Amino acid sequence: SLVSIHTHNIPTEFSAAALAQAKAAKPADLDGRTDLRDLPLVTIDGADARDFDDAVWAAPDPDAEGGWQIKVAIADVSWYVRPDDALDRAAALRGNSVYFPDRVVPMLPEALSNDLCSLRPNEDRACLVAHLRIDRNGQVTSHRFERALMRSAARLTYEQVQAAHGGTPDENAGPLAESVIAPLYGAYSVLAEARRKRGALEIDLPERQVRFDDQGRIAGIEPRHRLDSHRLIEEFMIAANVAAAEALE
């Protein structure tokens, strides 16, 4: 990883101004935000994920038979990073975080990327929320966006969510299996059927996972299995991104 980082001149050090700004950042409060801390939003990521930047929730729509309400919450990074400040310039230089099998070179200092902008469970976090309504045919009938304060109910992995949906939840996903996970799959099934009917391109490329031993040596390279829980998050994100594009348009 270090050889690759230096070969491609990936910046690993932040300026003193960017570090100072990140260190001085304070958690956002409720001023100008909707309080969603009682809503059981959950993050669903890979087991090796180090930061959690999106959370999801779904429930049947009481005003539309067969329809669903979906909320997609994204960490509100723009609350801490303003145009052309030290953090913005540092992020522009990098363009994105770079993920390696054993480390991440973050786009922002870890005080933000792994803390205030990471939707960790049971901690108040600033977010931007897409409120979506879909009908029984999987069509988004309305959407709106707002800033909010959330508190993730759990940090779940794709495997945990899939197992819970299949009837074998572990102790972390078990309490959420019926109240949180089942509605997520209910909304996903409607979106997935709409995707099938419109003939959307299905790109399902194989992905490999590098496994290390205790000494940091490569112990194996294995295929990463794709589950419906992966597709669930993808469909929610696509719906939120389309809604964002429509809102901007």
Side-chain angles (χ1 to χ4, degrees), residues 59-223:
D61 189 341
D63 300 322
E65 184 178 352
W68 294 86
Q69 302 175 73
I70 296 173
K71 300 189 192 304
V72 178
I74 308 295
D76 192 358
V77 181
S78 63
W79 183 254
Y80 301 99
V81 182
R82 302 302 171 94
D84 204 37
D85 65 11
L87 287 171
D88 191 34
R89 292 193 297 272
L93 176 66
R94 289 158 175 77
N96 50 262
S97 297
V98 184
Y99 293 83
F100 292 93
D102 62 338
R103 73 191 66 211
V104 176
V105 181
M107 186 174 68
L108 295 170
E110 291 193 357
L112 293 180
S113 61
N114 282 2
D115 190 2
L116 292 179
C117 295
S118 184
L119 306 179
R120 302 193 302 208
N122 304 314
E123 296 186 22
D124 292 358
R125 288 292 181 263
C127 61
L128 185 70
V129 183
H131 300 271
L132 311 173
R133 287 178 182 267
I134 60 173
D135 63 20
R136 63 193 307 164
N137 298 313
Q139 302 302 310
V140 176
T141 57
S142 69
H143 56 73
R144 64 182 177 89
F145 294 83
E146 68 177 355
R147 281 191 154 87
L149 197 66
M150 63 160 284
R151 183 180 293 159
S152 171
R155 175 270 198 269
L156 301 174
T157 68
Y158 293 114
E159 292 77 14
Q160 285 177 314
V161 171
Q162 192 66 43
H165 180 62
T168 57
D170 63 11
E171 61 182 14
N172 193 24
L176 304 171
E178 292 300 322
S179 60
V180 175
I181 295 173
L184 290 174
Y185 275 90
Y188 161 66
S189 66
V190 173
L191 291 171
E193 179 61 15
R195 178 185 181 87
R196 186 192 67 78
K197 285 182 176 179
R198 69 176 181 267
L201 186 63
E202 188 70 40
I203 301 176
D204 203 353
L205 299 175
E207 185 178 348
R208 299 289 185 265
Q209 181 175 12
V210 180
R211 185 166 49 82
F212 295 94
D213 63 17
D214 293 339
Q215 283 73 46
R217 294 186 295 256
I218 295 176
I221 301 177
E222 304 163 344

